[in-house]
Amino acid sequence: KNYILGQWLPFVLEVEAESGMPVVGVENDVFSVKSRKGKIVRIVREHYLRDDIVSGLEPAAKGSSPTPQLHDEASHFVIPDVNTLLRFLEVFEVSDWRDVVILQTVKDRFGRMATSRAFSRLKRMITDSSRRYIDFDNEHHHQTFVKRRHNVSSKERDLRSVVCAAEHLAKVVGEQKRNHIRPVVVIWDPVIGKPLQGTEQIHGVVYESMRSYITKWQRHSPVVWNTYEESVQAELQRQESLENTKKMLIEIQGSNLPSSSSSIGTTTRFEAARIQAQNAYPPHLTRESLQELRKKGHVFLGKISVSRFNPMHEASVKLKMRDRERLSKILGRGVEFYGEVLIFGFECRNRAIDGDDVYVKISPQSQWRPSQSSKRLITQPRSVLDSKSNIVDNLSKTGVASRAPPAGIVVGVRKRNWREFVCTLHIDEKSAVSSSYRLVMGIPFDRRLPRVLLKTEQVTALHKKRIVCRLRQWPRESRYPIAYYVRTIGPIGDIETETEALCLEREVRHPPFSAFLLKGLPFRNPSSTGPSRDRYQWKIPKNEAKKRRDLRMSLRGCVFSVDPQGCEDIDDALSARVLANGNWEIGVHIADVTHFVKEGSPLDAEARERGTSVYLVDRRLDMLPSVLSTDLCSLRGGTDRLAVSVIWQISPIQAEGRGDMSIKKIWAGKSIIHNSGAVSYELAQKIVDTPLRELKRGKESISKMIDGDADLSIETVKKKLTMLRDAARVLMSKRKAAGALNLQSFVPEFELEDTPTADSPDDVVLKNENPGTQLENSSLKKKNKGKLRKVKSKKKPKRVIAESHDIEMHHTIAEMMIFANCTVAEKVLSSKNISSAALLRHHPFPDKFGFQDLLELAKAKGIKINTTSNLELQKSLDAARNILQHGDRKSTSKTLEWSEQLLRSMATKAMSEALYIAAGDFEKGQGLYHYGLAAKVYTHFTSPIRRYADIIVHRQLLECVENDLKSEETIHQPEGIAQVGIVRNVAAVCNIRNRNAKLAAKDSQSLFLHVFLSAHGPITTRGIIYSLKDNGFLCFLPELQTKASCVLIDDSTKEFKGIVSSDRKGKKTISSDF
């Protein structure tokens, strides 16, 4: 070739071999390229080959730099091809595989095909000495270099390079007389790898696909197996739904997105592979385009909720009211639409997590299908392929329902719900000793959240610990979101750790009250050694007494409180007396918390944020400081207290509760009371039931059990409690005639034993028994709170209590509280100034489809349940006991009680939760009706110490009382709690806090039941099957007061072969071949 002076030529620079470094040969690679000016340029590239390149398998030479060595006890080492790394990088990265050889051919091609972030992760894995990854430069070794020939694709050339390098490494291991260590080449494409299988005896190399390798060589490692299953399952779901998703996005965007078929399994086109790596999820549309598409009715906005029963596959989006109405008109009457759009699979969820506000696009109707959560018990799949086939088979059998609800895909996220969550690292024991900076898999405490990736160098310190994490980002190319570490809670299995974890997950945050919040409250007298009622030298201010009705003398000896034994936070007290005109006067007196918690104060803001006190199995988390909740606001026996009272003058009631109890007069307002005695439920019941003569004989012992005045006579106590009982009987009969329901729920109670530990925080109040949870019944909620006291010990469950503690005095107090709540609700609602802003408690009519499980169970037992109204439902439940008794002669009173409890609990489950509302947001009449209590209007007034909603109602009631004394001209405009918008916001906060408190209490019960079964199990107990599924059943365990699910699996095939059938009478049975 002639070279011209000034001519530009391409040059390839190679590092010249040093002296003493033998060069075996030089390979010239000659090719031609076209320049920008259109000229053809011939390029010659020299490729130097050597024979002294260390593979990492040979013993290290003296004086040489240390290189990763193969462990002598290793049974094999892995050589992955480039497609295996591209698709299963998370498996290698998270599960900490050891003894892996990364070829230079594979690494170079991976760097060209993968993203820069993924390539950085691979290089970090190679440089981590604890992983024992060997970086073998096969491209410059004279025995492993494979030159690309003409008419040979780069895909075939790379495969030949991997095979050649594996055979060479097998010879190296053989020369070291370590024939027990075999090289295993993992090839992603089974079609290419199949001809190579079976050649182990010739070359000493084992060729496996990724699945066969995991099955044969890594099945013993749960971390590797589970991570691989998740990766494969995500890949299968992605392939299944990517085409449909992108077609829909094409319709929206009006552009052609790359097809998944052009990238999956393609290794000859670098650009296609790069697109595939970057498109693990479809792109989110821009905010501007989403808003425009929403206006046109192409996408809809709502909040996504992931299924608790099938979080891997199912979610739903509850649409906003405007979007719901718009979509309902588009769908028409032929579609079952209740305001929710179903989302199937992670691909269609498109990186949205539970609680996000998302934009959803409706899928074609051919892709709609009913939810599988109600038909099957979803379990962790033991095999990904088996899991997929089961899902596909199930869908093929059911087909697309003719009236299936609409399904869709997420095309954008408006607002993220990225909160702090509890997480546990998913690593094996061998990986826990590593202290290097690395990426690990985290399993969230909440099953609705996806698994996350965390970068940390504290693997050893965080192993087997509950930690708090927060999501940082979720790139499109990553199957899992990226999270960062916040703090450590404690070791797994510790009760304190698990309790803090469940409180954090339920967003129950009750930190100690700061000095700033306690500012202005009375201080405790440090020199006080007397009774608890004298711990604070606080007396009712004289100027405050002038503003209130003083009932201390008129009701002397008539005011009592009835609570659980040893209760300290006493919200309510009751009074009863006979007036001179022969009428009865009944009063309900509630602690006046508003005197100490001023509206707009820092303590008021803190109480609003907490919303409610939380009752866990072993502790109580107070909404208010203990100086108020257990002392100054608590209506203790023998003390004078500020109260808000409701007093009725009624017609006299005859013995045993006979009479109409017509109301003559009602008074409500601020008062001062003196609680003559604090009595427990059991003692009050004993006093009412026992004849007076017997009571006088044991007067001294009974008086000691009453916390109150020393001169209190037992005759007076019996008379007042009997009057309250008779009045409650009349109230109960009226409510039942109106359709009030007697509902139940499962609440396991525990007998706890102290386990000495280090000092517990002083702000945590521990208790002996678990609180009951009954529907809308504040007194019944209090009846099982148990003895509350501060201790410095850890409590563990000793026994599960399943006995019933239901006595008439529970219902007596409950009826009086319900009576007061209804009266206050009517009073506030009738006020002209506050009527529309009245904070009420609304229990809507249940959906008729919610009773399906109850009706099926009742039908199987020959019971007819009428759900047309609450009155008919209550009559059916009352008649069920007689039917059960006649239907099964062998049933005992205990089994009949449990069966009836199950029916009533299922009726409770079928109903919606009662919610706090602003009266102005609903129509008067049926819109404000309380279904469970059969009350026209209802509110919460009787528990201001533990519920913030009651504090708002107190303020509204006192505002109404003040307005009644003013003329219409002097009544000011609505402000604060009289404004609908403010009350609406308070109601929303209270609803969230109330639900979180219930869920936290339920989680605490499950935790202690788990601890009990772990310490005393296995336990054989009786159970009642109440629902049959395609692959198992649901049962109620009455002796443990809990529900459980049982999945039927054949141990030999790991599959379920049962069939659910129904006879002519509607009785369901489940049969199986094993």
Side-chain angles (χ1 to χ4, degrees):
K1 180 178 176 61
N2 296 324
Y3 295 94
I4 304 174
L5 184 64
Q7 181 183 8
W8 287 96
L9 294 176
F11 291 86
V12 178
L13 303 180
E14 295 283 351
V15 178
E16 184 178 356
E18 300 178 6
S19 59
M21 292 290 184
V23 179
V24 176
V26 179
E27 288 286 343
N28 295 329
D29 193 5
V30 182
F31 56 96
S32 301
V33 295
K34 189 175 183 179
S35 66
R36 293 182 178 179
K37 295 183 179 181
K39 296 181 179 181
I40 304 299
V41 181
R42 185 169 177 266
I43 297 178
V44 179
R45 177 170 293 172
E46 295 181 345
H47 193 91
Y48 292 89
L49 303 178
R50 298 161 57 176
D51 61 354
D52 63 338
I53 296 178
V54 180
S55 65
L57 304 181
E58 305 90 343
K62 293 183 179 181
S64 61
S65 59
T67 57
Q69 299 294 317
L70 188 65
H71 200 281
D72 291 336
E73 296 181 359
S75 62
H76 68 283
F77 59 91
V78 179
I79 308 174
D81 71 343
V82 64
N83 286 298
T84 302
L85 286 178
L86 283 172
R87 286 157 179 82
F88 301 105
L89 183 63
E90 290 87 354
V91 181
F92 287 89
E93 188 175 30
V94 175
S95 57
D96 287 344
W97 276 2
R98 302 296 194 274
D99 304 319
V100 178
V101 177
I102 303 296
L103 303 179
Q104 186 66 33
T105 305
V106 175
K107 188 171 70 171
D108 292 343
R109 192 170 186 84
F110 184 88
R112 294 191 298 268
M113 298 175 64
T115 60
S116 58
R117 185 182 289 109
F119 190 49
S120 299
R121 288 157 56 188
L122 176 62
K123 289 190 293 184
R124 187 161 50 246
M125 292 163 55
I126 296 174
T127 55
D128 187 355
S129 59
S130 62
R131 292 177 177 268
R132 295 202 301 271
Y133 271 44
I134 299 173
D135 187 6
F136 178 42
D137 189 2
N138 65 313
E139 283 293 288
H140 294 88
H141 199 289
H142 76 285
Q143 293 185 7
T144 59
F145 174 72
V146 176
K147 187 175 182 180
R148 181 177 176 181
R149 306 299 179 184
H150 295 289
N151 300 326
V152 176
S153 65
S154 60
K155 182 178 181 180
E156 184 178 353
R157 186 262 175 187
D158 290 345
L159 178 60
R160 289 182 179 180
S161 298
V162 173
V163 173
C164 183
E167 294 176 356
H168 168 72
L169 295 178
K171 292 179 183 179
V172 173
V173 174
E175 292 173 357
Q176 300 175 17
K177 297 183 179 180
R178 294 194 292 178
N179 295 325
H180 64 282
I181 303 179
R182 292 177 292 176
V184 178
V185 177
V186 180
I187 300 176
W188 176 79
D189 194 339
V191 178
I192 299 176
K194 189 172 182 180
L196 297 173
Q197 296 178 2
T199 62
E200 178 184 355
Q201 300 298 330
I202 302 175
H203 303 290
V205 181
V206 181
Y207 296 92
E208 300 283 3
S209 65
M210 187 63 173
R211 177 168 182 79
S212 62
Y213 170 76
I214 293 288
T215 305
K216 296 178 183 179
W217 300 82
Q218 294 288 348
R219 187 61 184 264
H220 63 280
S221 176
V223 178
V224 176
W225 181 251
N226 292 336
T227 310
Y228 166 74
E229 280 192 331
E230 292 176 358
S231 299
V232 172
Q233 190 169 9
E235 181 71 15
L236 292 174
Q237 292 180 357
R238 192 185 68 84
Q239 293 182 21
E240 181 179 0
S241 59
L242 189 59
E243 283 297 333
N244 294 328
T245 303
K246 289 184 176 180
K247 287 179 180 178
M248 297 178 64
L249 291 176
I250 290 172
E251 296 177 0
I252 298 176
Q253 293 178 311
S255 60
N256 294 324
L257 296 177
S259 173
S260 62
S261 60
S262 64
S263 59
I264 297 178
T266 302
T267 58
T268 57
R269 295 162 58 189
F270 295 158
E271 185 63 27
R274 185 176 294 108
I275 292 174
Q276 190 274 336
Q278 294 177 352
N279 288 351
Y281 291 97
H284 288 162
L285 302 183
T286 62
R287 183 179 296 271
E288 293 76 12
S289 61
L290 287 170
Q291 292 176 353
E292 185 67 24
L293 291 169
R294 186 189 179 197
K295 292 180 181 179
K296 297 179 180 179
H298 295 166
V299 299
F300 305 91
L301 180 63
K303 185 180 292 294
I304 188 169
S305 299
V306 179
S307 172
R308 290 183 179 272
F309 306 101
N310 190 6
M312 292 292 294
H313 301 283
E314 294 185 9
S316 62
V317 176
K318 187 175 183 180
L319 301 182
K320 303 290 184 181
M321 183 62 68
R322 187 182 69 177
D323 299 77
R324 188 184 311 174
E325 295 174 353
R326 183 179 300 171
L327 181 58
S328 179
K329 293 180 180 179
I330 296 174
L331 296 177
R333 297 182 179 180
V335 179
E336 290 188 359
F337 177 64
Y338 302 101
E340 292 186 352
V341 178
L342 298 181
I343 308 294
F344 295 101
F346 263 89
E347 179 68 25
C348 292
R349 208 176 299 174
N350 198 4
R351 293 171 287 156
I353 67 170
D354 184 77
D356 285 352
D357 288 342
V358 300
Y359 293 94
V360 62
K361 167 73 175 178
I362 306 301
S363 303
Q365 192 168 3
S366 59
Q367 300 178 17
W368 298 1
R369 59 177 184 263
S371 172
Q372 299 298 305
S373 299
S374 60
K375 298 181 179 181
R376 295 179 58 85
L377 298 176
I378 308 298
T379 59
Q380 182 70 20
R382 302 193 178 189
S383 171
V384 175
L385 296 182
D386 294 341
S387 173
K388 181 177 185 299
S389 62
N390 290 340
I391 295 174
V392 174
D393 292 343
N394 191 32
L395 293 177
S396 62
K397 292 178 181 179
T398 58
V400 178
S402 58
R403 298 175 62 87
I409 64 170
V410 174
V411 295
V413 178
R414 181 185 184 185
K415 183 179 179 181
R416 287 290 191 181
N417 184 33
W418 285 4
R419 57 176 179 84
E420 290 185 354
F421 60 93
V422 181
C423 186
T424 306
L425 299 187
H426 189 45
I427 55 179
D428 53 23
E429 296 292 340
K430 296 180 180 180
S431 305
V433 299
S434 174
S435 60
S436 59
Y437 186 81
R438 42 189 286 246
L439 197 68
V440 294
M441 178 76 76
I443 304 177
F445 198 82
D446 188 349
R447 68 174 65 181
R448 297 172 300 175
L449 297 178
R451 297 195 174 190
V452 299
L453 297 176
L454 293 96
K455 294 180 180 180
T456 180
E457 57 184 5
Q458 307 179 54
V459 176
T460 304
L462 302 181
H463 184 47
K464 295 184 178 180
K465 298 290 181 65
R466 297 286 189 202
I467 63 176
V468 180
C469 301
R470 191 178 183 89
L471 294 181
R472 184 190 302 274
Q473 60 178 338
W474 196 340
R476 286 180 53 197
E477 62 271 13
S478 175
R479 291 193 181 95
Y480 307 101
I482 309 298
Y484 63 91
Y485 166 82
V486 178
R487 63 183 177 92
T488 301
I489 300 178
I492 297 175
D494 180 69
I495 291 182
E496 292 296 325
T497 299
E498 301 297 342
T499 300
E500 184 178 352
L502 68 89
C503 287
L504 191 145
E505 281 296 325
R506 298 304 183 188
E507 298 182 5
V508 175
R509 297 178 176 87
H510 285 51
F513 290 92
S514 63
F516 175 72
L517 295 175
L518 300 177
K519 186 178 180 180
L521 298 179
F523 289 94
R524 181 172 180 173
N525 184 9
S527 61
S528 175
T529 57
S532 60
R533 65 174 67 99
D534 299 329
R535 287 181 294 187
Y536 295 88
Q537 294 181 349
W538 177 85
K539 295 182 179 180
I540 298 175
K542 294 182 179 180
N543 58 343
E544 185 64 27
K546 296 178 181 179
K547 304 175 184 178
R548 296 172 178 266
R549 179 178 176 180
D550 196 338
L551 302 174
R552 287 176 288 186
M553 296 304 298
S554 60
L555 295 180
R556 186 73 178 179
C558 298
V559 180
F560 302 92
S561 61
V562 184
D563 293 279
Q565 179 68 37
C567 181
E568 294 184 351
D569 54 339
I570 302 176
D571 292 283
D572 54 85
L574 299 96
S575 63
R577 64 171 179 165
V578 180
L579 300 177
N581 59 5
N583 291 335
W584 285 17
E585 185 182 82
I586 303 295
V588 172
H589 313 278
I590 308 301
D592 188 4
V593 177
T594 59
H595 174 76
F596 299 95
V597 183
K598 302 299 183 181
E599 184 177 1
S601 66
L603 185 57
D604 179 56
E606 179 67 18
R608 173 179 175 176
E609 179 63 25
R610 301 190 180 207
T612 179
S613 295
V614 182
Y615 294 91
L616 306 181
V617 171
D618 63 335
R619 68 197 67 193
R620 182 190 70 220
L621 306 177
D622 289 330
M623 182 187 73
L624 298 176
S626 58
V627 59
L628 298 180
S629 61
T630 61
D631 282 282
L632 301 184
C633 290
S634 180
L635 307 182
R636 293 173 172 271
T639 59
D640 295 344
R641 288 290 184 259
L642 302 178
V644 178
S645 303
V646 179
I647 300 175
W648 302 269
Q649 186 180 144
I650 60 175
S651 59
I653 301 174
Q654 301 177 7
E656 301 300 327
R658 292 189 297 270
D660 59 349
M661 191 178 166
S662 59
I663 300 175
K664 306 296 184 180
K665 185 179 179 181
I666 301 177
W667 180 89
K670 293 183 178 182
S671 64
I672 303 176
I673 65 169
H674 177 85
N675 187 1
S676 299
V679 189
S680 66
Y681 282 110
E682 293 76 15
L683 180 59
Q685 191 66 48
K686 180 180 179 180
I687 293 174
V688 171
D689 295 341
T690 305
L692 186 59
R693 292 182 180 179
E694 296 183 14
L695 291 176
K696 290 182 178 181
R697 294 172 188 168
K699 180 178 180 180
E700 295 183 0
S701 60
I702 294 177
S703 299
K704 293 181 180 179
M705 299 172 66
I706 299 177
D707 181 20
D709 299 334
D711 59 347
L712 185 64
S713 65
I714 196 67
E715 295 90 348
T716 302
V717 176
K718 180 178 177 62
K719 180 179 179 181
K720 306 306 180 184
L721 292 178
T722 303
M723 291 177 65
L724 292 173
R725 181 203 62 182
D726 294 342
R729 286 179 175 177
V730 176
L731 293 173
M732 186 182 300
S733 61
K734 287 185 176 181
R735 286 200 312 111
K736 283 189 174 181
L741 299 173
N742 179 21
L743 302 176
Q744 294 182 351
S745 58
F746 302 131
V747 182
E749 300 180 15
F750 301 90
E751 179 182 343
L752 304 178
E753 59 180 355
D754 293 344
T755 303
T757 60
D759 289 352
S760 301
D762 291 337
D763 61 299
V764 178
V765 181
L766 304 182
K767 62 182 181 177
N768 288 336
E769 294 183 359
N770 179 61
T773 53
Q774 300 291 337
L775 176 65
E776 289 307 313
N777 199 326
S778 59
S779 179
L780 288 180
K781 286 182 179 180
K782 287 176 54 182
K783 76 174 186 179
N784 290 327
K785 279 193 293 187
K787 186 177 181 180
L788 304 176
R789 57 191 179 92
K790 289 185 179 180
V791 299
K792 292 185 177 181
S793 62
K794 183 182 296 184
K795 290 182 172 292
K796 291 187 177 181
K798 181 180 180 181
R799 183 172 68 93
V800 179
I801 303 174
E803 294 83 2
S804 175
H805 305 284
D806 192 19
I807 57 179
E808 186 180 12
M809 194 53 60
H810 291 149
H811 298 281
T812 298
I813 305 303
E815 289 298 328
M816 300 309 301
M817 298 300 108
I818 294 173
F819 189 33
N821 288 333
C822 292
T823 302
V824 171
E826 293 174 356
K827 175 69 175 177
V828 176
L829 193 62
S830 62
S831 173
K832 296 181 180 179
N833 192 41
I834 308 180
S835 176
S836 60
L839 181 62
L840 302 179
R841 188 75 169 162
H842 175 53
H843 190 210
F845 287 82
D847 185 359
K848 61 180 181 180
F849 298 102
F851 289 106
Q852 191 63 32
D853 292 339
L854 173 63
L855 296 176
E856 290 184 0
L857 177 62
K859 189 176 182 180
K861 303 296 290 185
I863 302 173
K864 293 183 179 180
I865 301 293
N866 189 343
T867 61
T868 55
S869 66
N870 50 2
L871 179 61
E872 295 299 328
L873 177 60
Q874 182 61 38
K875 290 181 180 179
S876 302
L877 294 175
D878 291 340
R881 184 178 180 89
N882 296 330
I883 299 175
L884 290 171
Q885 187 173 6
H886 292 294
D888 190 356
R889 299 292 182 181
K890 298 181 180 180
S891 298
T892 63
S893 59
K894 182 62 68 176
T895 56
L896 288 175
E897 179 184 346
W898 287 340
S899 300
E900 184 181 7
Q901 180 187 13
L902 177 61
L903 289 174
R904 293 187 182 275
S905 68
M906 294 185 68
T908 305
K909 184 180 178 182
M911 301 177 190
S912 303
E913 275 190 342
L915 299 173
Y916 295 107
I917 62 169
D921 293 338
F922 289 78
E923 296 181 2
K924 292 185 178 181
Q926 293 294 328
L928 303 177
Y929 183 74
H930 195 290
Y931 180 84
L933 299 177
K936 295 180 180 179
V937 289
Y938 189 75
T939 190
H940 275 169
F941 161 76
T942 55
S943 297
I945 291 179
R946 62 186 182 88
R947 286 189 309 232
Y948 185 76
D950 298 56
I951 296 179
I952 297 297
V953 174
H954 273 229
R955 291 170 179 165
Q956 291 184 338
L957 175 63
L958 297 178
E959 182 76 13
C960 293
V961 173
E962 290 184 9
N963 291 338
D964 290 343
L965 302 177
K966 299 177 182 179
S967 61
E968 294 185 2
E969 293 80 8
T970 59
I971 297 178
H972 53 75
Q973 294 296 325
E975 60 182 14
I977 57 172
Q979 292 182 336
V980 179
I982 294 178
V983 175
R984 183 188 299 120
N985 295 335
V986 172
V989 173
C990 291
N991 288 329
I992 295 174
R993 298 293 182 261
N994 187 49
R995 176 169 177 78
N996 290 345
K998 289 181 179 179
L999 294 175
K1002 187 176 180 180
D1003 291 343
S1004 180
Q1005 295 156 13
S1006 301
L1007 169 62
F1008 274 77
L1009 183 60
H1010 174 79
V1011 173
F1012 172 77
L1013 294 176
S1014 299
H1016 302 85
I1019 295 176
T1020 302
T1021 183
R1022 290 173 290 182
I1024 306 173
I1025 298 177
Y1026 67 90
S1027 181
L1028 297 177
K1029 305 294 182 180
D1030 291 349
N1031 60 338
F1033 55 86
L1034 302 177
C1035 61
F1036 167 52
L1037 309 177
E1039 294 177 348
L1040 297 177
Q1041 285 294 294
T1042 188
K1043 293 180 179 180
S1045 59
C1046 296
V1047 182
L1048 302 180
I1049 300 176
D1050 191 338
D1051 289 335
S1052 59
T1053 62
K1054 309 302 181 186
E1055 295 180 355
F1056 173 76
K1057 298 182 179 179
I1059 300 174
V1060 176
S1061 60
S1062 177
D1063 58 13
R1064 295 180 180 178
K1065 297 181 179 180
K1067 184 176 181 179
K1068 283 190 174 182
T1069 58
I1070 187 168
S1071 60
S1072 183
D1073 299 335
F1074 49 91

